[in-house]
Amino acid sequence: MHRKSVLVLAVSALAALPMLAGAQTAEPPNLTGNVALTTNYKFRGQDQDVIGNNGFAKDSYVKPAIQGGIDYAFGSSGFYIGNWNSSVNWLPGNSIEMDFYGGYKFKGGPIDWDVGVLTYVYPGNSAGSTTEIYGAGTWADENIGAFTAKYSWTVSKDYFNYAGNKGGSGLDGTNTGYLNLSYTKEIVPKLTFKTALGYTFFTSDIKSLGYKDYLDYNVGVSYDFGSGLSLGGWIQGGSEQSAFNLISSPGVDINGVTFGQTTFSPNKTRFILTLTKTL
């Protein structure tokens, strides 16, 4: 499948909204959809488009991705399910990431809580498939802004193929954790400031391969044009860049010595633009 397949999936999903809405009961559920175009899809600070035409790492600054999904809330019960998709290019034979999730939101004192499970699926190459359970809490004030803390815990055998479990490595990615702290505040009408810090805690099996726990960061603003259309600009990246280096050019081997080899880290800091339409 190719990038245009993601757009087809997103458009098809959105086209189904009226049919689902027609099935509403006396208490109508909340059904929303979204489509986006971004200059570079980063997940937890890492580029998700890294395989170049020559088979080595793609180190270009702009790597456009098409994205889209739908969310379905079961009325006021607090339960919800959803799907989100994006074009990707980091696993051979795969070009789409498909996320499926479900959870429960509720109020506890001054905190809005959210617990659920999320599965990342990569058609064509299941080595990257990962399942996490998560819990998040948000405290919000109109004048101060909204603070959210979220922790995701891996329950699948591997964490995005880092352990190489399906390849027969014998290593385990279960219990890898990810902590994310974020803050959001509308600074002037229609212009919202957003920032986040995340930290990935790898298992000892994954770290035995040379990978390191790392910090990722995201800071930027989003402007609301109205009618569900918004444009965001973000600076995103991650620490421990050399621990994730990929070969972008093999160089030349002369008498067993390599000359001119270059590398690229998917954690490299980038400025990213994302245009989003919600429905």
Side-chain angles (χ1 to χ4, degrees):
M1 288 185 280
H2 304 285
R3 279 183 171 80
K4 65 181 181 181
S5 302
V6 181
L7 182 59
V8 171
L9 285 172
V11 172
S12 298
L14 293 176
L17 294 182
M19 290 183 288
L20 288 172
Q24 295 176 1
T25 59
E27 183 182 19
N30 182 20
L31 187 62
T32 58
N34 61 84
V35 176
L37 177 63
T38 183
T39 58
N40 189 347
Y41 170 32
K42 274 185 177 289
F43 175 72
R44 296 176 181 172
Q46 299 186 319
D47 287 15
Q48 299 300 290
D49 184 354
V50 296
I51 302 178
N53 293 330
N54 59 359
F56 293 98
K58 184 191 299 184
D59 59 3
S60 54
Y61 196 95
V62 176
K63 307 171 183 179
I66 301 171
Q67 304 172 332
I70 55 174
D71 291 282
Y72 184 96
F74 292 87
S76 60
S77 69
F79 290 100
Y80 64 90
I81 57 174
N83 163 247
W84 184 83
N85 313 279
S86 178
S87 56
V88 294
N89 185 25
W90 62 274
L91 285 169
N94 164 259
S95 61
I96 296 177
E97 171 191 330
M98 303 179 71
D99 302 347
F100 300 92
Y101 49 88
Y104 176 63
K105 295 180 179 181
F106 60 98
K107 189 80 171 180
I111 307 297
D112 293 312
W113 298 99
D114 181 9
V115 293
V117 59
L118 190 159
T119 295
Y120 305 83
V121 179
Y122 299 89
N125 192 333
S126 62
S129 296
T130 301
T131 299
E132 299 176 331
I133 58 176
Y134 58 84
T138 299
W139 179 86
D141 180 271
E142 184 176 348
N143 297 316
I144 299 175
F147 296 86
T148 299
K150 181 177 181 179
Y151 188 77
S152 302
W153 176 43
T154 303
V155 294
S156 52
K157 283 290 186 180
D158 206 344
Y159 177 81
F160 301 102
N161 198 37
Y162 271 106
N165 186 274
K166 284 203 171 183
S169 68
L171 302 179
D172 195 347
T174 307
N175 296 324
T176 293
Y178 179 71
L179 175 65
N180 184 269
L181 306 174
S182 63
Y183 169 74
T184 302
K185 175 71 169 68
E186 186 178 53
I187 48 180
V188 296
K190 297 186 177 182
L191 186 67
T192 301
F193 171 77
K194 300 179 181 181
T195 187
L197 285 175
Y199 198 83
T200 299
F201 304 85
F202 287 120
T203 62
S204 58
D205 278 5
I206 291 178
K207 287 192 281 190
S208 72
L209 298 173
Y211 298 112
K212 296 181 180 180
D213 295 345
Y214 73 99
L215 177 77
D216 68 87
Y217 40 87
N218 183 344
V219 59
V221 294
S222 176
Y223 186 80
D224 182 3
F225 292 99
S227 301
L229 184 66
S230 64
L231 177 66
W234 327 100
I235 295 174
Q236 297 184 49
S239 65
E240 302 294 350
Q241 295 185 11
S242 61
F244 300 90
N245 274 345
L246 302 170
I247 297 175
S248 56
S249 177
V252 178
D253 185 276
I254 301 176
N255 295 326
V257 180
T258 301
F259 296 91
Q261 184 182 87
T262 59
T263 60
F264 166 76
S265 176
N267 292 28
K268 191 170 183 178
T269 302
R270 299 295 198 194
F271 175 70
I272 298 171
L273 289 172
T274 303
L275 182 66
T276 304
K277 172 66 175 177
T278 58
L279 298 98

